[in-house]
């Protein structure tokens, strides 16, 4: 057994603090190393880290309801639907963690174990801290990644917006409100009642 004194936690933290990349200079390798070893929700774009807010009860209730709906549909057709946290590579030096993502073919080569290289559809449940992140930033990123359909579920506005990729940008398929059903263009015949999706009491 070594007689060398162990470095204290405080000293170890100081070492890590000194060698960490500053904001703006993180690399893809650094981001993956970090998120492999911590349980925080962190996204990454062009050298910058962005920590996401911790999900609330309402957020998770909505998300699990939608997951059950999507999972029942795509699994019966050989696809796969998963909920976050799961890293999705948008492009070089850009990763997002959608709330829900799916592939119509479970054996799609974009489905990787450490992170996915693409998706056919993603869903974001809007957090009140920064709605622009889902409506603007992620809209651009998911279009860049050529994801065919993007659902923005907004419990503050009581609505679901569905966007479909046309060439290199999204066109709104529709904004669906309480009393209406949100219908997918990608999944033929698939729809979700907005009132049920946004009511956590429907989660059993």
């Amino acid at each position: 057994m070594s007689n060398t004194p162990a470095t204290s936690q405080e000293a170890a933290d100081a070492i890590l603090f000194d060698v960490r990349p500053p904001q703006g200079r993180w690399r893809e390798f650094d981001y993956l190393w970090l998120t492999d070893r911590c349980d925080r929700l962190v996204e990454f774009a062009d050298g910058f880290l962005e920590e996401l807010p911790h999900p609330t009860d309402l957020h998770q209730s909505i998300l699990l309801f939608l997951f059950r709906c999507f999972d029942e549909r795509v699994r019966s057709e050989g696809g796969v639907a998963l909920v976050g946290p799961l890293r999705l590579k948008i492009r070089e030096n850009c990763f997002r963690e959608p709330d829900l993502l799916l592939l119509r073919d479970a054996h799609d080569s974009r489905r990787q174990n450490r992170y996915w290289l693409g998706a056919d559809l993603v869903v974001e449940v809007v957090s009140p801290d920064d709605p622009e992140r889902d409506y603007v930033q992620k809209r651009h990123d998911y279009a860049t990644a050529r994801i065919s359909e993007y659902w923005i579920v907004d419990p503050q506005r009581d609505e679901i917006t569905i966007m479909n990729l046309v060439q290199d940008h999204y066109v709104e398929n529709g904004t669906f409100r309480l009393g209406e059903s949100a219908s997918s263009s990608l999944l033929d015949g698939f729809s979700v009642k907005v009132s049920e999706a946004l009511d956590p009491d429907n989660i059993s």
Side-chain angles (χ1 to χ4, degrees), residues 45-59:
D46 300 321
F48 290 86
L49 298 182
E50 180 178 359
E51 185 174 8
L52 303 181
H54 204 74
T56 62
D57 181 281
L58 176 62
H59 180 283

mmCIF file with all atom_site columns, all heavy atoms in Angstrom, residues 45-59:
data_model
loop_
_atom_site.group_PDB
_atom_site.id
_atom_site.type_symbol
_atom_site.label_atom_id
_atom_site.label_alt_id
_atom_site.label_comp_id
_atom_site.label_asym_id
_atom_site.label_entity_id
_atom_site.label_seq_id
_atom_site.pdbx_PDB_ins_code
_atom_site.Cartn_x
_atom_site.Cartn_y
_atom_site.Cartn_z
_atom_site.occupancy
_atom_site.B_iso_or_equiv
_atom_site.pdbx_formal_charge
_atom_site.auth_seq_id
_atom_site.auth_comp_id
_atom_site.auth_asym_id
_atom_site.auth_atom_id
_atom_site.pdbx_PDB_model_num
ATOM 1   N N   . ALA A 1 45 ? -22.759 23.484 -28.307 1.00 0.00 ? 45 ALA A N   1
ATOM 2   C CA  . ALA A 1 45 ? -22.746 24.061 -29.658 1.00 0.00 ? 45 ALA A CA  1
ATOM 3   C C   . ALA A 1 45 ? -21.566 25.006 -29.812 1.00 0.00 ? 45 ALA A C   1
ATOM 4   O O   . ALA A 1 45 ? -21.445 25.981 -29.053 1.00 0.00 ? 45 ALA A O   1
ATOM 5   C CB  . ALA A 1 45 ? -24.050 24.794 -29.955 1.00 0.00 ? 45 ALA A CB  1
ATOM 6   N N   . ASP A 1 46 ? -20.708 24.674 -30.764 1.00 0.00 ? 46 ASP A N   1
ATOM 7   C CA  . ASP A 1 46 ? -19.626 25.568 -31.186 1.00 0.00 ? 46 ASP A CA  1
ATOM 8   C C   . ASP A 1 46 ? -18.785 26.094 -30.018 1.00 0.00 ? 46 ASP A C   1
ATOM 9   O O   . ASP A 1 46 ? -18.540 27.301 -29.895 1.00 0.00 ? 46 ASP A O   1
ATOM 10  C CB  . ASP A 1 46 ? -20.196 26.727 -31.991 1.00 0.00 ? 46 ASP A CB  1
ATOM 11  C CG  . ASP A 1 46 ? -20.923 26.231 -33.240 1.00 0.00 ? 46 ASP A CG  1
ATOM 12  O OD1 . ASP A 1 46 ? -20.438 25.276 -33.863 1.00 0.00 ? 46 ASP A OD1 1
ATOM 13  O OD2 . ASP A 1 46 ? -21.986 26.786 -33.571 1.00 0.00 ? 46 ASP A OD2 1
ATOM 14  N N   . GLY A 1 47 ? -18.377 25.177 -29.166 1.00 0.00 ? 47 GLY A N   1
ATOM 15  C CA  . GLY A 1 47 ? -17.477 25.528 -28.079 1.00 0.00 ? 47 GLY A CA  1
ATOM 16  C C   . GLY A 1 47 ? -18.140 25.917 -26.778 1.00 0.00 ? 47 GLY A C   1
ATOM 17  O O   . GLY A 1 47 ? -17.459 26.099 -25.762 1.00 0.00 ? 47 GLY A O   1
ATOM 18  N N   . PHE A 1 48 ? -19.464 26.040 -26.773 1.00 0.00 ? 48 PHE A N   1
ATOM 19  C CA  . PHE A 1 48 ? -20.183 26.485 -25.586 1.00 0.00 ? 48 PHE A CA  1
ATOM 20  C C   . PHE A 1 48 ? -21.059 25.372 -25.015 1.00 0.00 ? 48 PHE A C   1
ATOM 21  O O   . PHE A 1 48 ? -21.729 24.647 -25.764 1.00 0.00 ? 48 PHE A O   1
ATOM 22  C CB  . PHE A 1 48 ? -21.064 27.698 -25.911 1.00 0.00 ? 48 PHE A CB  1
ATOM 23  C CG  . PHE A 1 48 ? -20.287 28.950 -26.196 1.00 0.00 ? 48 PHE A CG  1
ATOM 24  C CD1 . PHE A 1 48 ? -19.817 29.213 -27.484 1.00 0.00 ? 48 PHE A CD1 1
ATOM 25  C CD2 . PHE A 1 48 ? -19.998 29.858 -25.185 1.00 0.00 ? 48 PHE A CD2 1
ATOM 26  C CE1 . PHE A 1 48 ? -19.096 30.366 -27.757 1.00 0.00 ? 48 PHE A CE1 1
ATOM 27  C CE2 . PHE A 1 48 ? -19.273 31.015 -25.460 1.00 0.00 ? 48 PHE A CE2 1
ATOM 28  C CZ  . PHE A 1 48 ? -18.824 31.267 -26.738 1.00 0.00 ? 48 PHE A CZ  1
ATOM 29  N N   . LEU A 1 49 ? -21.080 25.271 -23.685 1.00 0.00 ? 49 LEU A N   1
ATOM 30  C CA  . LEU A 1 49 ? -21.981 24.362 -22.989 1.00 0.00 ? 49 LEU A CA  1
ATOM 31  C C   . LEU A 1 49 ? -23.233 25.118 -22.567 1.00 0.00 ? 49 LEU A C   1
ATOM 32  O O   . LEU A 1 49 ? -23.176 26.298 -22.220 1.00 0.00 ? 49 LEU A O   1
ATOM 33  C CB  . LEU A 1 49 ? -21.317 23.790 -21.731 1.00 0.00 ? 49 LEU A CB  1
ATOM 34  C CG  . LEU A 1 49 ? -20.060 22.953 -21.901 1.00 0.00 ? 49 LEU A CG  1
ATOM 35  C CD1 . LEU A 1 49 ? -19.593 22.457 -20.534 1.00 0.00 ? 49 LEU A CD1 1
ATOM 36  C CD2 . LEU A 1 49 ? -20.294 21.774 -22.840 1.00 0.00 ? 49 LEU A CD2 1
ATOM 37  N N   . GLU A 1 50 ? -24.364 24.408 -22.577 1.00 0.00 ? 50 GLU A N   1
ATOM 38  C CA  . GLU A 1 50 ? -25.605 24.994 -22.070 1.00 0.00 ? 50 GLU A CA  1
ATOM 39  C C   . GLU A 1 50 ? -26.295 23.951 -21.196 1.00 0.00 ? 50 GLU A C   1
ATOM 40  O O   . GLU A 1 50 ? -26.696 22.892 -21.678 1.00 0.00 ? 50 GLU A O   1
ATOM 41  C CB  . GLU A 1 50 ? -26.546 25.402 -23.209 1.00 0.00 ? 50 GLU A CB  1
ATOM 42  C CG  . GLU A 1 50 ? -27.837 26.016 -22.713 1.00 0.00 ? 50 GLU A CG  1
ATOM 43  C CD  . GLU A 1 50 ? -28.761 26.457 -23.834 1.00 0.00 ? 50 GLU A CD  1
ATOM 44  O OE1 . GLU A 1 50 ? -28.379 26.309 -25.014 1.00 0.00 ? 50 GLU A OE1 1
ATOM 45  O OE2 . GLU A 1 50 ? -29.864 26.946 -23.523 1.00 0.00 ? 50 GLU A OE2 1
ATOM 46  N N   . GLU A 1 51 ? -26.417 24.266 -19.898 1.00 0.00 ? 51 GLU A N   1
ATOM 47  C CA  . GLU A 1 51 ? -27.100 23.350 -18.986 1.00 0.00 ? 51 GLU A CA  1
ATOM 48  C C   . GLU A 1 51 ? -28.604 23.579 -19.069 1.00 0.00 ? 51 GLU A C   1
ATOM 49  O O   . GLU A 1 51 ? -29.087 24.718 -19.003 1.00 0.00 ? 51 GLU A O   1
ATOM 50  C CB  . GLU A 1 51 ? -26.621 23.558 -17.550 1.00 0.00 ? 51 GLU A CB  1
ATOM 51  C CG  . GLU A 1 51 ? -27.218 22.539 -16.588 1.00 0.00 ? 51 GLU A CG  1
ATOM 52  C CD  . GLU A 1 51 ? -26.650 22.633 -15.191 1.00 0.00 ? 51 GLU A CD  1
ATOM 53  O OE1 . GLU A 1 51 ? -25.898 23.585 -14.906 1.00 0.00 ? 51 GLU A OE1 1
ATOM 54  O OE2 . GLU A 1 51 ? -26.961 21.751 -14.372 1.00 0.00 ? 51 GLU A OE2 1
ATOM 55  N N   . LEU A 1 52 ? -29.348 22.494 -19.219 1.00 0.00 ? 52 LEU A N   1
ATOM 56  C CA  . LEU A 1 52 ? -30.796 22.573 -19.336 1.00 0.00 ? 52 LEU A CA  1
ATOM 57  C C   . LEU A 1 52 ? -31.439 22.523 -17.953 1.00 0.00 ? 52 LEU A C   1
ATOM 58  O O   . LEU A 1 52 ? -30.881 21.943 -17.019 1.00 0.00 ? 52 LEU A O   1
ATOM 59  C CB  . LEU A 1 52 ? -31.313 21.417 -20.190 1.00 0.00 ? 52 LEU A CB  1
ATOM 60  C CG  . LEU A 1 52 ? -30.722 21.312 -21.600 1.00 0.00 ? 52 LEU A CG  1
ATOM 61  C CD1 . LEU A 1 52 ? -31.340 20.124 -22.334 1.00 0.00 ? 52 LEU A CD1 1
ATOM 62  C CD2 . LEU A 1 52 ? -30.932 22.588 -22.388 1.00 0.00 ? 52 LEU A CD2 1
ATOM 63  N N   . PRO A 1 53 ? -32.637 23.100 -17.805 1.00 0.00 ? 53 PRO A N   1
ATOM 64  C CA  . PRO A 1 53 ? -33.308 23.054 -16.497 1.00 0.00 ? 53 PRO A CA  1
ATOM 65  C C   . PRO A 1 53 ? -33.743 21.640 -16.153 1.00 0.00 ? 53 PRO A C   1
ATOM 66  O O   . PRO A 1 53 ? -34.007 20.823 -17.042 1.00 0.00 ? 53 PRO A O   1
ATOM 67  C CB  . PRO A 1 53 ? -34.519 23.974 -16.701 1.00 0.00 ? 53 PRO A CB  1
ATOM 68  C CG  . PRO A 1 53 ? -34.770 23.941 -18.175 1.00 0.00 ? 53 PRO A CG  1
ATOM 69  C CD  . PRO A 1 53 ? -33.421 23.828 -18.813 1.00 0.00 ? 53 PRO A CD  1
ATOM 70  N N   . HIS A 1 54 ? -33.802 21.358 -14.866 1.00 0.00 ? 54 HIS A N   1
ATOM 71  C CA  . HIS A 1 54 ? -34.234 20.032 -14.433 1.00 0.00 ? 54 HIS A CA  1
ATOM 72  C C   . HIS A 1 54 ? -35.720 19.878 -14.724 1.00 0.00 ? 54 HIS A C   1
ATOM 73  O O   . HIS A 1 54 ? -36.508 20.797 -14.480 1.00 0.00 ? 54 HIS A O   1
ATOM 74  C CB  . HIS A 1 54 ? -33.968 19.856 -12.940 1.00 0.00 ? 54 HIS A CB  1
ATOM 75  C CG  . HIS A 1 54 ? -33.827 18.434 -12.536 1.00 0.00 ? 54 HIS A CG  1
ATOM 76  N ND1 . HIS A 1 54 ? -32.708 17.685 -12.833 1.00 0.00 ? 54 HIS A ND1 1
ATOM 77  C CD2 . HIS A 1 54 ? -34.673 17.594 -11.893 1.00 0.00 ? 54 HIS A CD2 1
ATOM 78  C CE1 . HIS A 1 54 ? -32.864 16.452 -12.362 1.00 0.00 ? 54 HIS A CE1 1
ATOM 79  N NE2 . HIS A 1 54 ? -34.043 16.377 -11.801 1.00 0.00 ? 54 HIS A NE2 1
ATOM 80  N N   . PRO A 1 55 ? -36.155 18.734 -15.268 1.00 0.00 ? 55 PRO A N   1
ATOM 81  C CA  . PRO A 1 55 ? -37.565 18.558 -15.614 1.00 0.00 ? 55 PRO A CA  1
ATOM 82  C C   . PRO A 1 55 ? -38.478 18.632 -14.390 1.00 0.00 ? 55 PRO A C   1
ATOM 83  O O   . PRO A 1 55 ? -38.118 18.197 -13.296 1.00 0.00 ? 55 PRO A O   1
ATOM 84  C CB  . PRO A 1 55 ? -37.604 17.148 -16.224 1.00 0.00 ? 55 PRO A CB  1
ATOM 85  C CG  . PRO A 1 55 ? -36.211 16.881 -16.669 1.00 0.00 ? 55 PRO A CG  1
ATOM 86  C CD  . PRO A 1 55 ? -35.329 17.585 -15.683 1.00 0.00 ? 55 PRO A CD  1
ATOM 87  N N   . THR A 1 56 ? -39.669 19.174 -14.604 1.00 0.00 ? 56 THR A N   1
ATOM 88  C CA  . THR A 1 56 ? -40.684 19.244 -13.558 1.00 0.00 ? 56 THR A CA  1
ATOM 89  C C   . THR A 1 56 ? -41.632 18.047 -13.672 1.00 0.00 ? 56 THR A C   1
ATOM 90  O O   . THR A 1 56 ? -41.585 17.277 -14.632 1.00 0.00 ? 56 THR A O   1
ATOM 91  C CB  . THR A 1 56 ? -41.503 20.528 -13.701 1.00 0.00 ? 56 THR A CB  1
ATOM 92  O OG1 . THR A 1 56 ? -42.180 20.494 -14.982 1.00 0.00 ? 56 THR A OG1 1
ATOM 93  C CG2 . THR A 1 56 ? -40.619 21.764 -13.634 1.00 0.00 ? 56 THR A CG2 1
ATOM 94  N N   . ASP A 1 57 ? -42.499 17.924 -12.699 1.00 0.00 ? 57 ASP A N   1
ATOM 95  C CA  . ASP A 1 57 ? -43.514 16.865 -12.726 1.00 0.00 ? 57 ASP A CA  1
ATOM 96  C C   . ASP A 1 57 ? -44.392 17.003 -13.972 1.00 0.00 ? 57 ASP A C   1
ATOM 97  O O   . ASP A 1 57 ? -44.678 16.019 -14.670 1.00 0.00 ? 57 ASP A O   1
ATOM 98  C CB  . ASP A 1 57 ? -44.367 16.948 -11.457 1.00 0.00 ? 57 ASP A CB  1
ATOM 99  C CG  . ASP A 1 57 ? -45.441 15.871 -11.397 1.00 0.00 ? 57 ASP A CG  1
ATOM 100 O OD1 . ASP A 1 57 ? -46.483 16.045 -12.071 1.00 0.00 ? 57 ASP A OD1 1
ATOM 101 O OD2 . ASP A 1 57 ? -45.255 14.861 -10.694 1.00 0.00 ? 57 ASP A OD2 1
ATOM 102 N N   . LEU A 1 58 ? -44.841 18.234 -14.270 1.00 0.00 ? 58 LEU A N   1
ATOM 103 C CA  . LEU A 1 58 ? -45.689 18.449 -15.445 1.00 0.00 ? 58 LEU A CA  1
ATOM 104 C C   . LEU A 1 58 ? -44.947 18.074 -16.720 1.00 0.00 ? 58 LEU A C   1
ATOM 105 O O   . LEU A 1 58 ? -45.496 17.399 -17.601 1.00 0.00 ? 58 LEU A O   1
ATOM 106 C CB  . LEU A 1 58 ? -46.137 19.908 -15.507 1.00 0.00 ? 58 LEU A CB  1
ATOM 107 C CG  . LEU A 1 58 ? -46.951 20.311 -16.745 1.00 0.00 ? 58 LEU A CG  1
ATOM 108 C CD1 . LEU A 1 58 ? -48.258 19.529 -16.807 1.00 0.00 ? 58 LEU A CD1 1
ATOM 109 C CD2 . LEU A 1 58 ? -47.219 21.818 -16.750 1.00 0.00 ? 58 LEU A CD2 1
ATOM 110 N N   . HIS A 1 59 ? -43.718 18.529 -16.841 1.00 0.00 ? 59 HIS A N   1
ATOM 111 C CA  . HIS A 1 59 ? -42.898 18.223 -18.015 1.00 0.00 ? 59 HIS A CA  1
ATOM 112 C C   . HIS A 1 59 ? -42.801 16.723 -18.228 1.00 0.00 ? 59 HIS A C   1
ATOM 113 O O   . HIS A 1 59 ? -43.028 16.221 -19.340 1.00 0.00 ? 59 HIS A O   1
ATOM 114 C CB  . HIS A 1 59 ? -41.505 18.823 -17.812 1.00 0.00 ? 59 HIS A CB  1
ATOM 115 C CG  . HIS A 1 59 ? -40.550 18.590 -18.939 1.00 0.00 ? 59 HIS A CG  1
ATOM 116 N ND1 . HIS A 1 59 ? -39.920 17.384 -19.155 1.00 0.00 ? 59 HIS A ND1 1
ATOM 117 C CD2 . HIS A 1 59 ? -40.098 19.423 -19.916 1.00 0.00 ? 59 HIS A CD2 1
ATOM 118 C CE1 . HIS A 1 59 ? -39.140 17.468 -20.207 1.00 0.00 ? 59 HIS A CE1 1
ATOM 119 N NE2 . HIS A 1 59 ? -39.223 18.688 -20.692 1.00 0.00 ? 59 HIS A NE2 1
#
